[in-house]
């Protein structure tokens, strides 16, 4: 049962993408929990988000251990968590502007990461350089979203639109296919529709 709870929690975190790593609760997790999240290939976020999350966590952990928040202490409290950040695949500009000047990495590690970013054949044994999995949308699973409920009864449920522009927007926390779109035109007169 405890393993199922853990798997369900991880599924929620992976599904929430960067939001899960940016919550205040993330910095309260134990080191084993942080590591299990940040080492996963199923975590679908930019690597800079992972880096920022572990830096936030390490700052809080320094405080919990009564240590001054320095890059050297951050790296010490991170332990193996530090190696779950995939520095070789992090955005090059982000790495150069936000990470390379800090003392979180040694000069040799910085040099090797820059080299790895330029040469795919150069391997860094300490750091994972494989991209995290991007989940593919599932075909064959459909969700119908309708403003009016059933379409047969749409005549009873009139969209109370003004003469101003009107729109519907939505977001998905996962990649998806838009299988179809059903739109109703103006009751009378002309209209412009932009999709």
């Amino acid at each position: 049962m405890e393993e199922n709870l853990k798997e369900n929690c991880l599924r929620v975190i992976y599904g929430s993408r960067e939001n899960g790593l940016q919550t205040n609760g993330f910095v309260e997790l134990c080191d084993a929990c942080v590591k299990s999240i940040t080492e996963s290939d199923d975590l679908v976020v930019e690597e800079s988000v992972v880096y920022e999350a572990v830096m936030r966590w390490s700052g809080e952990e320094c405080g919990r251990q009564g240590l001054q928040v320095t890059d050297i202490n951050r790296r010490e409290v991170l332990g193996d968590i530090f190696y779950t950040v995939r520095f070789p695949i992090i955005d090059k500009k982000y790495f150069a502007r936000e990470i390379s000047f800090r003392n979180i990495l040694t000069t040799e590690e910085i040099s090797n990461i820059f080299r790895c970013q330029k040469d795919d054949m150069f391997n860094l044994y300490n750091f994972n350089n494989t991209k995290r999995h991007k989940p593919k949308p599932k075909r064959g699973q459909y969700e119908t979203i309708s403003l009016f409920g059933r379409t047969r009864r749409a005549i009873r449920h009139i969209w109370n639109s003004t003469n101003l522009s009107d729109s519907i927007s939505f977001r998905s926390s996962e990649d998806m296919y838009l299988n179809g779109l059903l739109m109703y035109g103006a009751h009378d007169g002309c209209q412009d529709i932009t999709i």
Side-chain angles (χ1 to χ4, degrees):
M1 177 144 160
E2 189 174 309
E3 193 61 32
N4 285 343
L5 178 61
K6 177 184 174 186
E7 291 302 317
N8 288 339
C9 290
L10 289 174
R11 198 172 313 115
V12 168
I13 291 167
Y14 300 151
S16 68
R17 301 186 183 227
E18 63 267 353
N19 292 336
L21 298 180
Q22 294 170 342
T23 63
N24 292 333
F26 181 81
V27 298
E28 300 298 324
L29 294 172
C30 69
D31 57 348
C33 292
V34 171
K35 186 176 183 217
S36 69
I37 294 167
T38 58
E39 73 184 352
S40 175
D41 287 338
D42 296 324
L43 185 61
V44 185
V45 296
E46 294 293 324
E47 210 57 37
S48 59
V49 175
V50 177
Y51 168 77
E52 289 169 5
V54 300
M55 292 301 282
R56 282 182 45 244
W57 182 87
S58 66
E60 292 295 320
E61 186 62 18
C62 283
R64 286 189 285 268
Q65 293 185 21
L67 299 171
Q68 185 179 0
V69 181
T70 66
D71 286 344
I72 293 166
N73 288 342
R74 284 177 187 269
R75 181 151 180 180
E76 182 67 29
V77 299
L78 281 167
D80 289 340
I81 296 170
F82 184 73
Y83 297 101
T84 66
V85 178
R86 300 176 185 192
F87 289 104
I89 64 167
I90 209 161
D91 178 74
K92 293 171 185 150
K93 285 182 182 176
Y94 181 88
F95 182 79
R97 292 178 183 161
E98 302 294 329
I99 302 171
S100 66
F101 69 91
R102 297 189 67 156
N103 290 323
I104 197 78
L105 292 160
T106 66
T107 304
E108 182 180 3
E109 287 170 334
I110 293 168
S111 175
N112 286 339
I113 290 168
F114 276 128
R115 185 172 173 194
C116 187
Q117 288 179 336
K118 294 282 185 191
D119 181 1
D120 291 341
M121 300 306 289
F122 185 77
N123 194 359
L124 288 172
Y125 297 103
N126 292 342
F127 297 105
N128 189 343
N129 64 351
T130 57
K131 292 186 178 181
R132 297 179 192 270
H133 301 302
K134 301 254 183 202
K136 294 185 178 180
K138 296 175 185 166
R139 292 185 178 266
Q141 292 183 351
Y142 298 97
E143 179 70 29
T144 302
I145 302 167
S146 174
L147 172 67
F148 302 117
R150 292 189 202 155
T151 4
R152 287 186 202 147
R153 301 173 78 197
I155 199 71
R156 290 188 198 165
H157 304 289
I158 297 170
W159 178 281
N160 292 322
S161 176
T162 63
N163 290 334
L164 303 173
S165 294
D166 215 347
S167 66
I168 299 173
S169 67
F170 61 91
R171 292 174 60 175
S172 174
S173 61
E174 298 181 22
D175 291 340
M176 62 179 231
Y177 293 103
L178 180 60
N179 192 44
L181 180 64
L182 178 62
M183 298 186 336
Y184 296 93
H187 187 3
D188 58 335
C190 298
Q191 67 187 44
D192 291 323
I193 298 174
T194 305
I195 298 177

